[in-house]
Amino acid sequence: MVGPDRAGAVSGGGRASGGSRGAGASGNAVSFPAAAAMEPVPGPQEKYHLITRNLQEVLGEDKLMAILKERELKIYWGTATTGKPHVAYFVPMSKIADFLKAGCEVTILFADLHAYLDNMKAPWELLELRTRYYENVIKAMLESIGVPLEKLKFVRGTDYQLSKEYTLDVYRLSSVVTQHDAKKAGAEVVKQVEHPLLSGLLYPGLQALDEEYLKVDAQFGGVDQRKIFTFAEKYLPSLGYAKRVHLMNPMVPGLTGSKMSSSEEDSKIDLLDRKEDVKKKLKKAFCEPGNVENNGVLSFIKHVLFPLKSEFVVLREEKWGGNKTYTAYEALEKDFAEQVVHPGDLKNSVEVALNKLLDPIREKFNSPELKKLTNAAYPNPSKAKPAEKGTKNSEPENVVPSRLDIRVGKVISVEKHPDADSLYVEKIDVGEPEPRTVVSGLVQFVPKEQLQDRLVVLLCNLKPQKMRGVESQGMVLCASSVGEPRQVEPLDPPAGCCAGERVYVEGYEGGEPDDELKPKKKVFEKLQADFRVSEDCVAQWKQRNFLTKLGRVSCKSLKGGSIS
């Protein structure tokens, strides 16, 4: 599924990453030719072409053609409700338009349970909010390209995945699937860690069962889900269920030439980005003259704009030849490769076409209700508003907890500092090839033997600093008592955590930490001012819990204390 689509929206299909069904398109919508009921009904061969065009691979071509000769194909696409969808999600949306043109019965699955199973990419308390956000934004995207929503079926995973029958099939499947096959199947989709959770091993099996419980002939996804698809083909028959057809989109490069990622700001354009942000990001996009490889701008034209309108207009000034309309993508790619089309003109033309797609989405999400939903579902927006003059507790721009690289560490060795009686020199494993050297002032608070082999919480992206001649490469985070005598206790990760696991603040799990915190910016100091220990000894920032995938970070006894 896409974490972003259940295979990532980057792949243009599969599982990524409420709302009522509507019909028709918004005022700025792109025309959707399939909506014309008067057009001749396509034959099996034409349907096959529409269903498979621009795909990288089809598993079960003969079965697909056999079904099309008898009846309409039933197909589904699923998206795990994790990070915010971005413009690469138009790639699977464009294929969904193709499926409808071919007369397919299409189901869209909002895979909320999968979002939680994939290493808690969507925390349980945010699951409902994010699912509602996905439902609204996916429907808005479909409306913006003119897809009639009444022709689609929308389903949430938890609508049927918690039923007695489905749960029994999960147990039946787990009795025949090997751990090796489950891990291999999810290798390209499920977040990989040294000690995988059981939930990640269940993920491929549940996705396979979805094919049976949604009563479809085929599943559509990105090519990065191929291992899950072959897993389904292998194991569904062992439960007495039929093999399905599997349709796979290619991996579509992002604006930087690599994959389009929710965590790489310059690689993606958000669906709610302002026009000036779209211009800025496209201006920086990788689009080398004559280079058609890993060109995210060309890929967007090929996989989204051409399928929607069957043409693309390059806008240029008269002195450079004037506007030129292409009715075949191959001709555009050839002209770009031969440098007949300039990258600047190509970017400007994509900007105009993309804004036409985004305008109705922006308009819909400008309502107070959807603004509130967006902020609640994703409490760590990529651009925090600067503090207003005279307000209290306002969050300064970009000073958010996700900028801190906080990890679980295991203390391998502890020695007294050779030149300072109050300092320890520790070697701490944080999941890197070599342990880090960390100097901490814990001698008078924690006996050496209590630190040895202990799990701690380490801030890893402070600038290394020499402390009495020994370079310290991190900071052990500790709770401190408020009154005298001063007491200090290292924060405790949940039992079962492994060295290197990320520690994050609730609601801020999606951002990428800085490579190194710049001392002059005082990012840590500003955030640390709001670090506290709750009355039940849980570490918090602004009353939001510090978490790992296994639960809350805490201390032993220092209720109401500070954290430093």
Side-chain angles (χ1 to χ4, degrees):
M1 296 198 185
V2 183
D5 53 38
R6 205 156 52 168
V10 266
S11 58
R15 303 191 182 182
S17 328
S20 58
R21 288 190 202 174
S26 302
N28 291 321
V30 177
S31 172
F32 182 60
M38 300 301 291
E39 290 183 2
V41 178
Q45 197 63 48
E46 188 177 350
K47 290 179 181 180
Y48 183 90
H49 170 72
L50 282 168
I51 290 168
T52 60
R53 69 172 176 175
N54 287 334
L55 295 181
Q56 181 164 323
E57 186 176 4
V58 177
L59 299 178
E61 292 175 283
D62 292 342
K63 184 174 183 178
L64 173 59
M65 180 56 77
I67 293 171
L68 292 174
K69 288 178 179 178
E70 293 182 6
R71 58 175 171 81
E72 306 298 1
L73 185 75
K74 298 177 181 178
I75 188 169
Y76 98 93
W77 171 75
T79 179
T81 52
T82 54
K84 288 171 102 172
H86 41 72
V87 295
Y89 278 66
F90 275 116
V91 179
M93 298 303 103
S94 176
K95 278 309 299 177
I96 288 169
D98 279 346
F99 298 152
L100 291 176
K101 291 177 191 177
C104 298
E105 297 177 21
V106 182
T107 297
I108 293 180
L109 172 66
F110 298 110
D112 48 357
L113 191 56
H114 281 81
Y116 181 71
L117 290 176
D118 189 2
N119 277 280
M120 277 180 53
K121 284 184 180 175
W124 193 260
E125 59 274 11
L126 294 179
L127 209 55
E128 166 67 18
L129 292 166
R130 292 196 176 175
T131 302
R132 284 170 48 204
Y133 178 86
Y134 263 70
E135 289 180 357
N136 279 281
V137 83
I138 293 295
K139 289 176 181 179
M141 292 180 75
L142 290 165
E143 287 178 318
S144 82
I145 61 174
V147 173
L149 298 188
E150 73 274 9
K151 293 181 178 291
L152 297 164
K153 181 180 179 182
F154 297 95
V155 179
R156 291 192 188 195
T158 48
D159 288 344
Y160 65 90
Q161 290 166 346
L162 301 178
S163 69
K164 176 182 176 181
E165 295 76 16
Y166 188 94
T167 302
L168 179 59
D169 271 346
V170 172
Y171 287 137
R172 290 175 63 205
L173 196 59
S174 68
S175 71
V176 295
V177 173
T178 66
Q179 183 267 352
H180 172 269
D181 282 1
K183 186 175 181 180
K184 179 182 176 183
E188 302 297 325
V189 177
V190 179
K191 183 179 179 182
Q192 299 299 295
V193 294
E194 184 179 358
H195 300 285
L197 296 176
L198 180 59
S199 61
L201 298 177
L202 290 173
Y203 190 111
L206 270 64
Q207 186 167 338
L209 286 173
D210 289 341
E211 297 179 348
E212 175 64 24
Y213 279 79
L214 291 171
K215 302 302 178 186
V216 296
D217 305 307
Q219 183 180 172
F220 165 57
V223 73
D224 54 348
Q225 294 189 67
R226 191 181 195 280
K227 291 177 181 177
I228 288 183
F229 292 164
T230 56
F231 172 94
E233 294 188 4
K234 177 179 179 180
Y235 282 107
L236 280 187
S238 70
L239 300 186
Y241 299 142
K243 278 187 187 180
R244 266 62 179 190
V245 176
H246 293 104
L247 311 171
M248 286 166 273
N249 257 354
M251 298 297 288
V252 177
L255 300 180
T256 57
S258 59
K259 76 170 188 175
M260 194 172 291
S261 167
S262 294
S263 61
E264 188 183 346
E265 187 63 28
D266 285 342
S267 80
K268 66 183 179 70
I269 293 173
D270 288 330
L271 296 171
L272 303 180
D273 271 351
R274 300 171 302 168
K275 290 186 177 182
E276 50 265 43
D277 294 324
V278 172
K279 179 183 287 290
K280 179 180 176 183
K281 289 179 180 180
L282 278 172
K283 188 175 181 180
K284 294 167 65 177
F286 175 80
C287 194
E288 186 179 37
N291 188 348
V292 299
E293 299 297 324
N294 294 321
N295 188 322
V297 180
L298 275 175
S299 292
F300 190 79
I301 296 170
K302 178 180 181 180
H303 291 282
V304 177
L305 300 178
F306 253 108
L308 290 176
K309 298 209 68 172
S310 301
E311 67 177 30
F312 181 74
V313 180
V314 174
L315 307 172
R316 347 180 246 207
E317 295 180 30
E318 288 298 328
K319 64 180 179 180
W320 303 119
N323 296 350
K324 183 172 182 179
T325 299
Y326 290 87
T327 56
Y329 170 76
E330 292 73 18
L332 172 62
E333 185 178 276
K334 181 175 181 291
D335 276 1
F336 186 82
E338 295 174 357
Q339 299 190 36
V340 174
V341 174
H342 189 273
D345 294 329
L346 193 71
K347 290 180 180 182
N348 290 339
S349 305
V350 169
E351 178 189 343
V352 171
L354 180 54
N355 276 318
K356 287 182 180 178
L357 294 177
L358 296 180
D359 278 342
I361 303 173
R362 295 180 185 122
E363 183 179 353
K364 180 174 181 177
F365 273 77
N366 199 37
S367 70
E369 180 184 358
L370 289 182
K371 281 183 177 179
K372 183 178 179 181
L373 174 61
T374 303
N375 291 332
Y378 297 95
N380 179 21
S382 59
K383 294 183 179 180
K385 291 182 180 179
E388 295 180 13
K389 187 175 180 180
T391 62
K392 295 182 179 180
N393 299 322
S394 294
E395 189 174 304
E397 185 175 4
N398 289 333
V399 181
V400 290
S402 53
R403 294 184 62 180
L404 305 180
D405 182 4
I406 307 176
R407 302 183 220 167
V408 175
K410 183 174 182 179
V411 180
I412 297 173
S413 67
V414 188
E415 301 294 340
K416 284 279 193 75
H417 192 295
D419 298 320
D421 291 339
S422 64
L423 301 177
Y424 283 133
V425 178
E426 301 125 1
K427 294 288 186 181
I428 300 180
D429 177 9
V430 289
E432 298 170 337
E434 298 295 330
R436 293 197 179 203
T437 300
V438 177
V439 180
S440 58
L442 295 174
V443 171
Q444 56 185 311
F445 302 108
V446 185
K448 177 180 174 181
E449 56 272 15
Q450 289 185 17
L451 278 177
Q452 182 67 46
D453 297 323
R454 176 179 185 149
L455 290 179
V456 294
V457 175
L458 194 73
L459 178 60
C460 295
N461 59 342
L462 289 173
K463 184 177 181 180
Q465 181 178 352
K466 283 198 173 183
M467 299 180 69
R468 301 293 291 270
V470 177
E471 184 176 79
S472 182
Q473 299 168 325
M475 175 191 292
V476 177
L477 294 181
C478 300
S480 300
S481 61
V482 178
E484 295 294 337
R486 188 183 179 212
Q487 295 175 276
V488 176
E489 296 173 356
L491 295 182
D492 293 316
C497 285
C498 300
E501 287 184 23
R502 187 175 177 194
V503 177
Y504 57 90
V505 171
E506 184 177 11
Y508 289 80
E509 69 279 9
E512 285 293 310
D514 292 12
D515 291 333
E516 182 178 282
L517 297 172
K518 305 301 180 187
K520 290 184 179 179
K521 298 289 186 180
K522 297 192 179 297
V523 172
F524 172 70
E525 290 81 358
K526 292 172 182 176
L527 292 166
Q528 189 262 339
D530 291 301
F531 287 1
R532 292 288 183 274
V533 178
S534 71
E535 288 305 308
D536 53 354
C537 292
V538 176
Q540 296 183 330
W541 175 80
K542 291 189 175 181
Q543 298 183 323
R544 294 177 180 267
N545 295 336
F546 282 54
L547 300 170
T548 73
K549 62 188 179 185
L550 294 182
R552 303 182 299 182
V553 173
S554 60
C555 68
K556 285 187 169 53
S557 64
L558 300 181
K559 300 177 182 180
S562 60
I563 298 173
S564 59

